[in-house]
Amino acid sequence: MYLCSPQFNNMKFFIDTANLAQIQEANELGILDGVTTNPSLMAKEGIKGTDAIMKHYRTICEMVDGPVSAEVLSTTFREMVEEGEQLASIHENIVVKIPMIKDGIKAIKWFSDNGIATNCTLVFSAGQAILAAKAGATFVSPFIGRIDDSSWDGVTLIEQIVNIYNAQAFDTEVLAASIRNPLHIVRCAEAGADVCTCPLPSILGLLKHPLTDLGLEQFLKDAKSMQ
Ligand code: E4P
């Protein structure tokens, strides 16, 4: 089971994709702490059928040394428990991703009582985040980009949940999801998110500054003049 590690007191970087090439590229940067997927991201890779799904998750777990969120496709308590147990059996780093619905909360509590890590997904309010933490979720995933899409400020929700979890001493980690750009990552770090799960372009976007490019160009030019 994935356990929150005391060595991590800075914001963790997860990549939000099921694409193996992108996972590999982010992993090679040396800054990757885990992976999140969802049914849409898996479908985008053309993965079909239980065996192929399980095989894909196994491959991701073998590539990255950190938690890998695998989402259940069912929505009833019994089915989610059955499916989640099957997913958790793939690898010790699998985190069972469960939607924020009534049966989902029951399933999170069941997994928590049975030592299986969970990520409560599709979270859009502080109330939902409180319920997820109370049920014992390992991670809670507020979708900040989708909140921004509806003309609210997603990062404000991250701040609110971080404050509540600190005030109430909940162990659940705040995993900022639905990241759309590098500024989201910076603002989530400021807000105290425990984890940011990002598409590869948002991670790579953190590298960019025109003055870095101009400065390096000049340094390389001057370096040449010395040879
Ligand atoms: C990851 O855990 C979420 O499913 C994902 O970040 C959602 O991102 P989207 O809103 O860009 O689809």
Side-chain angles (χ1 to χ4, degrees):
M1 175 198 181
Y2 166 72
L3 292 171
C4 304
S5 164
Q7 88 230 26
F8 283 126
N9 46 16
N10 51 12
M11 190 176 77
K12 283 166 269 187
F13 274 70
F14 290 0
I15 188 163
D16 194 23
T17 185
N19 181 278
L20 300 181
Q22 291 191 11
I23 292 171
Q24 177 71 14
E25 188 174 340
N27 207 23
E28 281 171 3
L29 279 175
I31 52 91
L32 197 62
D33 301 307
V35 180
T36 54
T37 63
N38 63 34
S40 307
L41 294 170
M42 292 287 281
K44 209 167 143 189
E45 299 309 310
I47 300 152
K48 276 196 170 75
T50 310
D51 287 351
I53 292 172
M54 303 274 281
K55 185 168 172 257
H56 201 77
Y57 285 135
R58 193 169 302 114
T59 306
I60 295 175
C61 288
E62 281 161 6
M63 289 170 76
V64 179
D65 185 19
V68 173
S69 287
E71 191 158 340
V72 295
L73 307 178
S74 48
T75 53
T76 63
F77 171 71
R78 281 276 152 236
E79 286 172 321
M80 280 190 271
V81 164
E82 195 180 317
E83 205 187 331
E85 277 191 300
Q86 203 184 357
L87 290 168
S89 73
I90 299 173
H91 193 279
E92 61 181 3
N93 283 346
I94 287 284
V95 173
V96 181
K97 208 171 171 192
I98 308 274
M100 166 42 77
I101 54 175
K102 200 170 172 187
D103 275 33
I105 289 298
K106 290 183 198 170
I108 288 168
K109 174 75 175 116
W110 188 92
F111 285 119
S112 164
D113 289 346
N114 286 277
I116 293 175
T118 53
N119 175 355
C120 182
T121 189
L122 289 165
V123 166
F124 293 91
S125 77
Q128 292 177 324
I130 292 170
L131 262 188
K134 195 73 192 153
T138 315
F139 298 101
V140 66
S141 288
F143 276 32
I144 71 167
R146 293 194 196 185
I147 293 174
D148 285 5
D149 291 345
S150 56
S151 78
W152 290 67
D153 182 11
V155 178
T156 303
L157 177 60
I158 300 291
E159 281 166 7
Q160 194 184 11
I161 298 172
V162 167
N163 287 337
I164 292 170
Y165 282 10
N166 286 340
Q168 298 296 329
F170 281 127
D171 290 334
T172 302
E173 294 193 37
V174 181
L175 190 166
S178 187
I179 296 290
R180 299 280 162 78
N181 54 57
L183 186 56
H184 271 158
I185 303 176
V186 172
R187 291 191 63 214
C188 284
E190 276 181 333
D194 298 291
V195 189
C196 216
T197 189
C198 324
L200 183 62
S202 299
I203 298 176
L204 297 180
L206 292 172
L207 287 165
K208 286 186 194 157
H209 199 288
L211 289 178
T212 303
D213 298 339
L214 283 172
L216 182 61
E217 196 182 317
Q218 187 64 49
F219 285 158
L220 291 178
K221 204 168 137 197
D222 293 340
K224 247 188 193 158
S225 76
M226 296 188 298
Q227 283 162 3

Coordinates of all heavy atoms in Angstrom, one line a residue, residues 56-115:
H56 N -1.6 -2.4 -18.8 CA -1.1 -1.0 -18.9 C -0.7 -0.4 -17.5 O 0.3 0.2 -17.4 CB -2.2 -0.1 -19.6 CG -1.7 1.1 -20.2 ND1 -1.0 1.1 -21.4 CD2 -1.7 2.4 -19.8 CE1 -0.6 2.4 -21.7 NE2 -1.0 3.2 -20.7
Y57 N -1.6 -0.6 -16.5 CA -1.3 -0.1 -15.2 C 0.0 -0.8 -14.7 O 0.8 -0.1 -14.0 CB -2.4 -0.4 -14.2 CG -3.6 0.5 -14.4 CD1 -4.9 0.0 -14.4 CD2 -3.4 1.9 -14.5 CE1 -6.0 0.9 -14.5 CE2 -4.5 2.8 -14.7 CZ -5.8 2.2 -14.7 OH -6.8 3.1 -14.8
R58 N 0.2 -2.1 -15.0 CA 1.4 -2.8 -14.5 C 2.7 -2.1 -15.1 O 3.7 -1.8 -14.5 CB 1.4 -4.3 -14.8 CG 2.4 -5.1 -14.1 CD 2.2 -6.6 -14.3 NE 0.9 -7.0 -13.7 CZ -0.1 -7.5 -14.5 NH1 0.1 -7.7 -15.8 NH2 -1.2 -7.9 -13.9
T59 N 2.5 -1.8 -16.4 CA 3.7 -1.2 -17.1 C 4.0 0.2 -16.5 O 5.2 0.5 -16.3 CB 3.3 -1.0 -18.6 OG1 2.9 -2.2 -19.2 CG2 4.5 -0.4 -19.4
I60 N 3.0 1.0 -16.2 CA 3.2 2.3 -15.6 C 3.9 2.1 -14.3 O 4.9 2.8 -13.9 CB 1.9 3.1 -15.5 CG1 1.3 3.4 -16.9 CG2 2.1 4.4 -14.7 CD1 -0.1 4.1 -16.9
C61 N 3.4 1.2 -13.5 CA 4.0 0.9 -12.1 C 5.4 0.5 -12.2 O 6.2 0.8 -11.3 CB 3.2 -0.1 -11.4 SG 1.6 0.4 -10.8
E62 N 5.8 -0.2 -13.3 CA 7.2 -0.6 -13.4 C 8.1 0.5 -13.9 O 9.3 0.5 -13.7 CB 7.2 -1.8 -14.4 CG 6.8 -3.1 -13.7 CD 6.4 -4.2 -14.7 OE1 6.6 -4.0 -16.0 OE2 6.0 -5.3 -14.3
M63 N 7.4 1.5 -14.5 CA 8.2 2.7 -15.0 C 8.5 3.7 -13.9 O 9.6 4.3 -13.9 CB 7.4 3.4 -16.2 CG 7.4 2.6 -17.5 SD 6.2 3.4 -18.6 CE 7.2 4.8 -19.2
V64 N 7.5 3.9 -13.1 CA 7.6 5.1 -12.1 C 7.6 4.5 -10.7 O 6.7 3.7 -10.4 CB 6.4 6.1 -12.3 CG1 6.5 7.2 -11.3 CG2 6.4 6.6 -13.8
D65 N 8.5 5.0 -9.9 CA 8.6 4.6 -8.5 C 7.7 5.5 -7.6 O 8.3 6.5 -7.1 CB 10.0 4.6 -8.1 CG 10.2 4.0 -6.6 OD1 9.2 3.3 -6.2 OD2 11.2 4.3 -6.0
G66 N 6.4 5.3 -7.6 CA 5.6 6.2 -6.8 C 4.1 5.8 -7.0 O 3.8 4.9 -7.9
P67 N 3.2 6.5 -6.3 CA 1.8 6.1 -6.5 C 1.2 6.3 -7.9 O 1.5 7.3 -8.5 CB 1.1 7.0 -5.5 CG 2.1 7.9 -5.0 CD 3.4 7.5 -5.4
V68 N 0.4 5.3 -8.3 CA -0.2 5.3 -9.6 C -1.7 5.2 -9.4 O -2.2 4.1 -9.0 CB 0.3 4.2 -10.5 CG1 -0.4 4.1 -11.8 CG2 1.8 4.3 -10.8
S69 N -2.5 6.2 -9.7 CA -3.9 6.2 -9.5 C -4.6 5.5 -10.7 O -4.4 5.8 -11.8 CB -4.5 7.6 -9.4 OG -4.1 8.2 -8.2
A70 N -5.4 4.4 -10.3 CA -6.1 3.7 -11.3 C -7.6 3.8 -10.9 O -8.0 3.4 -9.8 CB -5.7 2.2 -11.3
E71 N -8.4 4.3 -11.8 CA -9.8 4.6 -11.5 C -10.7 3.4 -11.7 O -10.7 2.7 -12.7 CB -10.3 5.8 -12.3 CG -11.6 6.4 -11.9 CD -11.8 7.8 -12.3 OE1 -10.8 8.5 -12.6 OE2 -12.9 8.3 -12.3
V72 N -11.7 3.2 -10.8 CA -12.7 2.2 -11.0 C -13.7 2.6 -12.0 O -13.9 3.8 -12.2 CB -13.5 1.8 -9.6 CG1 -12.5 1.2 -8.6 CG2 -14.1 3.1 -9.1
L73 N -14.3 1.7 -12.7 CA -15.2 2.0 -13.8 C -16.7 1.8 -13.3 O -17.6 2.1 -14.0 CB -14.9 1.2 -15.0 CG -13.5 1.3 -15.6 CD1 -13.3 0.4 -16.8 CD2 -13.1 2.7 -15.9
S74 N -16.8 1.2 -12.1 CA -18.2 1.0 -11.6 C -18.6 2.0 -10.6 O -17.7 2.8 -10.2 CB -18.2 -0.4 -11.0 OG -17.1 -0.6 -10.1
T75 N -19.9 2.0 -10.2 CA -20.4 3.1 -9.4 C -21.2 2.6 -8.2 O -21.8 3.3 -7.5 CB -21.3 4.1 -10.2 OG1 -22.2 3.3 -10.9 CG2 -20.4 4.9 -11.2
T76 N -21.2 1.2 -8.0 CA -21.9 0.7 -6.8 C -20.8 0.3 -5.8 O -19.7 -0.2 -6.2 CB -22.9 -0.4 -7.1 OG1 -22.1 -1.5 -7.6 CG2 -23.9 0.0 -8.1
F77 N -21.2 0.3 -4.5 CA -20.2 0.0 -3.5 C -19.6 -1.4 -3.7 O -18.4 -1.5 -3.8 CB -20.9 0.0 -2.1 CG -20.1 -0.6 -1.0 CD1 -19.0 0.1 -0.5 CD2 -20.4 -1.8 -0.4 CE1 -18.2 -0.4 0.5 CE2 -19.7 -2.3 0.6 CZ -18.6 -1.6 1.1
R78 N -20.4 -2.4 -3.9 CA -19.9 -3.8 -4.1 C -18.9 -3.9 -5.2 O -17.8 -4.5 -5.2 CB -21.0 -4.8 -4.2 CG -21.7 -5.2 -2.9 CD -20.9 -6.3 -2.2 NE -21.2 -6.2 -0.7 CZ -20.2 -6.1 0.2 NH1 -19.0 -6.1 -0.1 NH2 -20.5 -6.0 1.4
E79 N -19.4 -3.3 -6.4 CA -18.6 -3.4 -7.6 C -17.3 -2.6 -7.4 O -16.2 -3.1 -7.9 CB -19.4 -2.9 -8.8 CG -20.4 -3.9 -9.3 CD -21.3 -3.2 -10.4 OE1 -21.6 -2.0 -10.2 OE2 -21.7 -3.9 -11.3
M80 N -17.4 -1.5 -6.8 CA -16.2 -0.7 -6.6 C -15.1 -1.4 -5.7 O -13.9 -1.4 -6.0 CB -16.5 0.7 -6.0 CG -17.0 1.7 -7.1 SD -17.1 3.4 -6.4 CE -18.8 3.4 -5.8
V81 N -15.6 -2.1 -4.7 CA -14.7 -2.8 -3.8 C -14.1 -3.9 -4.6 O -12.8 -4.1 -4.5 CB -15.5 -3.3 -2.6 CG1 -14.7 -4.4 -1.8 CG2 -15.8 -2.2 -1.6
E82 N -14.9 -4.7 -5.4 CA -14.4 -5.8 -6.1 C -13.3 -5.3 -7.2 O -12.2 -5.9 -7.3 CB -15.5 -6.5 -6.8 CG -15.2 -7.9 -7.4 CD -16.4 -8.5 -8.1 OE1 -17.6 -8.4 -7.5 OE2 -16.3 -9.0 -9.1
E83 N -13.7 -4.3 -7.9 CA -12.8 -3.8 -8.9 C -11.5 -3.2 -8.3 O -10.4 -3.4 -8.8 CB -13.6 -2.7 -9.7 CG -13.1 -2.5 -11.1 CD -13.8 -1.3 -11.8 OE1 -15.0 -0.9 -11.4 OE2 -13.1 -0.7 -12.6
G84 N -11.7 -2.4 -7.2 CA -10.6 -1.8 -6.6 C -9.6 -2.8 -6.0 O -8.4 -2.6 -6.1
E85 N -10.1 -3.9 -5.5 CA -9.2 -5.0 -5.0 C -8.4 -5.6 -6.1 O -7.2 -5.8 -5.9 CB -10.1 -6.1 -4.3 CG -10.4 -5.7 -2.9 CD -11.0 -6.9 -2.2 OE1 -12.1 -7.5 -2.6 OE2 -10.4 -7.4 -1.1
Q86 N -9.1 -5.7 -7.2 CA -8.4 -6.3 -8.4 C -7.3 -5.3 -8.9 O -6.2 -5.7 -9.2 CB -9.4 -6.5 -9.5 CG -9.0 -7.5 -10.5 CD -10.0 -7.6 -11.7 OE1 -11.0 -6.9 -11.7 NE2 -9.7 -8.4 -12.7
L87 N -7.6 -4.0 -8.9 CA -6.6 -3.0 -9.3 C -5.5 -3.0 -8.3 O -4.3 -3.0 -8.7 CB -7.3 -1.6 -9.4 CG -8.2 -1.4 -10.6 CD1 -9.0 -0.1 -10.4 CD2 -7.5 -1.4 -11.9
A88 N -5.8 -3.0 -7.0 CA -4.7 -2.9 -6.0 C -3.8 -4.2 -6.1 O -2.7 -4.1 -5.6 CB -5.4 -2.8 -4.6
S89 N -4.3 -5.3 -6.6 CA -3.5 -6.5 -6.6 C -2.4 -6.4 -7.8 O -1.5 -7.2 -7.8 CB -4.4 -7.7 -6.9 OG -4.8 -7.7 -8.2
I90 N -2.6 -5.4 -8.6 CA -1.6 -5.3 -9.8 C -0.2 -5.0 -9.2 O 0.8 -5.6 -9.7 CB -2.0 -4.2 -10.8 CG1 -3.4 -4.5 -11.4 CG2 -1.0 -4.0 -11.8 CD1 -4.0 -3.4 -12.2
H91 N -0.1 -4.0 -8.3 CA 1.2 -3.6 -7.8 C 1.0 -2.8 -6.5 O -0.1 -2.2 -6.3 CB 1.8 -2.6 -8.9 CG 3.2 -2.3 -8.7 ND1 3.6 -1.3 -7.8 CD2 4.3 -2.8 -9.3 CE1 5.0 -1.3 -7.8 NE2 5.4 -2.2 -8.7
E92 N 2.0 -2.8 -5.7 CA 1.8 -2.2 -4.3 C 1.7 -0.7 -4.4 O 1.2 0.0 -3.5 CB 3.0 -2.5 -3.4 CG 4.3 -2.0 -4.0 CD 5.5 -2.4 -3.1 OE1 5.4 -3.0 -2.1 OE2 6.7 -2.0 -3.5
N93 N 2.1 -0.1 -5.6 CA 1.9 1.4 -5.7 C 0.6 1.8 -6.3 O 0.4 3.0 -6.5 CB 3.1 2.0 -6.6 CG 4.4 2.0 -5.8 OD1 4.3 1.9 -4.6 ND2 5.5 2.2 -6.5
I94 N -0.3 0.9 -6.6 CA -1.6 1.3 -7.1 C -2.4 2.0 -6.0 O -2.5 1.5 -4.9 CB -2.4 0.1 -7.7 CG1 -1.8 -0.4 -9.0 CG2 -3.9 0.4 -7.9 CD1 -2.1 0.4 -10.2
V95 N -3.0 3.1 -6.4 CA -3.9 3.9 -5.6 C -5.3 3.8 -6.3 O -5.4 4.1 -7.5 CB -3.5 5.3 -5.5 CG1 -4.6 6.2 -4.7 CG2 -2.2 5.5 -4.7
V96 N -6.3 3.3 -5.6 CA -7.6 3.1 -6.2 C -8.4 4.4 -6.2 O -8.6 5.0 -5.2 CB -8.4 2.0 -5.5 CG1 -9.8 1.8 -6.2 CG2 -7.7 0.7 -5.4
K97 N -8.7 4.8 -7.5 CA -9.4 6.1 -7.6 C -10.9 5.9 -7.7 O -11.4 5.1 -8.4 CB -8.9 6.7 -9.0 CG -8.9 8.2 -9.0 CD -8.2 8.7 -10.2 CE -8.3 10.2 -10.4 NZ -7.9 10.6 -11.8
I98 N -11.5 6.6 -6.8 CA -13.0 6.4 -6.6 C -13.7 7.8 -6.7 O -13.3 8.8 -6.2 CB -13.2 6.0 -5.1 CG1 -12.3 4.8 -4.7 CG2 -14.7 5.7 -4.8 CD1 -12.9 3.5 -5.1
P99 N -14.8 7.8 -7.4 CA -15.6 9.0 -7.6 C -16.3 9.5 -6.3 O -16.7 8.7 -5.5 CB -16.6 8.7 -8.7 CG -16.8 7.2 -8.6 CD -15.5 6.6 -8.2
M100 N -16.4 10.8 -6.2 CA -17.1 11.4 -5.1 C -18.6 11.3 -5.2 O -19.3 12.2 -5.6 CB -16.7 12.9 -5.0 CG -17.4 13.8 -4.1 SD -17.8 13.2 -2.5 CE -16.3 13.3 -1.6
I101 N -19.1 10.0 -4.9 CA -20.5 9.8 -4.8 C -20.7 9.0 -3.5 O -19.8 8.6 -2.8 CB -21.0 8.9 -6.0 CG1 -20.2 7.7 -6.2 CG2 -21.0 9.8 -7.3 CD1 -20.7 6.7 -7.3
K102 N -22.0 8.8 -3.2 CA -22.4 8.2 -1.9 C -21.7 6.8 -1.7 O -21.0 6.5 -0.7 CB -23.9 8.1 -1.8 CG -24.4 7.9 -0.4 CD -25.9 8.0 -0.5 CE -26.6 7.7 0.7 NZ -28.1 7.7 0.5
D103 N -21.9 6.0 -2.7 CA -21.2 4.6 -2.7 C -19.7 4.7 -2.7 O -19.0 3.9 -2.2 CB -21.7 3.7 -3.8 CG -23.0 3.1 -3.5 OD1 -23.8 3.7 -2.7 OD2 -23.3 1.9 -3.9
G104 N -19.2 5.8 -3.3 CA -17.8 6.0 -3.4 C -17.2 6.3 -2.0 O -16.2 5.8 -1.6
I105 N -17.9 7.1 -1.2 CA -17.5 7.3 0.2 C -17.5 6.1 1.0 O -16.5 5.8 1.7 CB -18.4 8.4 0.8 CG1 -18.1 9.8 0.2 CG2 -18.2 8.5 2.4 CD1 -16.7 10.3 0.4
K106 N -18.5 5.2 0.8 CA -18.5 3.9 1.5 C -17.3 3.1 1.1 O -16.7 2.4 1.9 CB -19.8 3.2 1.2 CG -21.1 3.8 1.7 CD -22.3 2.8 1.4 CE -23.6 3.6 1.5 NZ -24.7 2.8 0.9
A107 N -17.0 3.1 -0.2 CA -15.9 2.3 -0.7 C -14.6 2.8 -0.2 O -13.7 2.0 0.2 CB -15.9 2.3 -2.2
I108 N -14.4 4.1 -0.1 CA -13.2 4.7 0.4 C -13.0 4.3 1.9 O -11.9 3.9 2.3 CB -13.2 6.3 0.3 CG1 -13.1 6.7 -1.2 CG2 -12.1 6.9 1.1 CD1 -13.3 8.1 -1.5
K109 N -14.1 4.3 2.6 CA -14.0 3.9 4.0 C -13.6 2.4 4.1 O -12.7 2.0 4.9 CB -15.4 4.1 4.7 CG -15.5 3.6 6.1 CD -14.7 4.5 7.1 CE -15.0 4.0 8.5 NZ -13.8 3.6 9.2
W110 N -14.2 1.6 3.2 CA -13.9 0.2 3.2 C -12.4 -0.1 2.9 O -11.7 -0.8 3.6 CB -14.8 -0.6 2.2 CG -14.6 -2.1 2.3 CD1 -15.4 -2.9 3.0 CD2 -13.6 -2.9 1.6 NE1 -14.9 -4.2 2.9 CE2 -13.8 -4.2 2.0 CE3 -12.6 -2.6 0.7 CZ2 -13.0 -5.3 1.6 CZ3 -11.8 -3.7 0.3 CH2 -12.0 -5.0 0.7
F111 N -11.9 0.7 1.8 CA -10.5 0.5 1.4 C -9.6 1.0 2.5 O -8.5 0.4 2.8 CB -10.2 1.3 0.1 CG -10.8 0.6 -1.1 CD1 -11.7 1.2 -1.9 CD2 -10.3 -0.7 -1.4 CE1 -12.2 0.5 -3.0 CE2 -10.8 -1.4 -2.5 CZ -11.8 -0.8 -3.4
S112 N -10.0 2.1 3.2 CA -9.1 2.7 4.3 C -9.0 1.6 5.4 O -8.0 1.4 5.9 CB -9.8 4.0 4.7 OG -9.3 4.4 5.9
D113 N -10.2 1.0 5.7 CA -10.2 0.0 6.8 C -9.4 -1.2 6.5 O -8.9 -2.0 7.3 CB -11.6 -0.4 7.2 CG -12.4 0.7 7.9 OD1 -11.8 1.7 8.3 OD2 -13.6 0.6 7.9
N114 N -9.2 -1.4 5.1 CA -8.5 -2.6 4.7 C -7.1 -2.4 4.1 O -6.5 -3.2 3.4 CB -9.4 -3.4 3.6 CG -10.6 -4.1 4.3 OD1 -10.4 -5.2 4.8 ND2 -11.7 -3.4 4.3
G115 N -6.6 -1.2 4.5 CA -5.2 -0.9 4.1 C -4.9 -0.6 2.7 O -3.8 -0.9 2.2

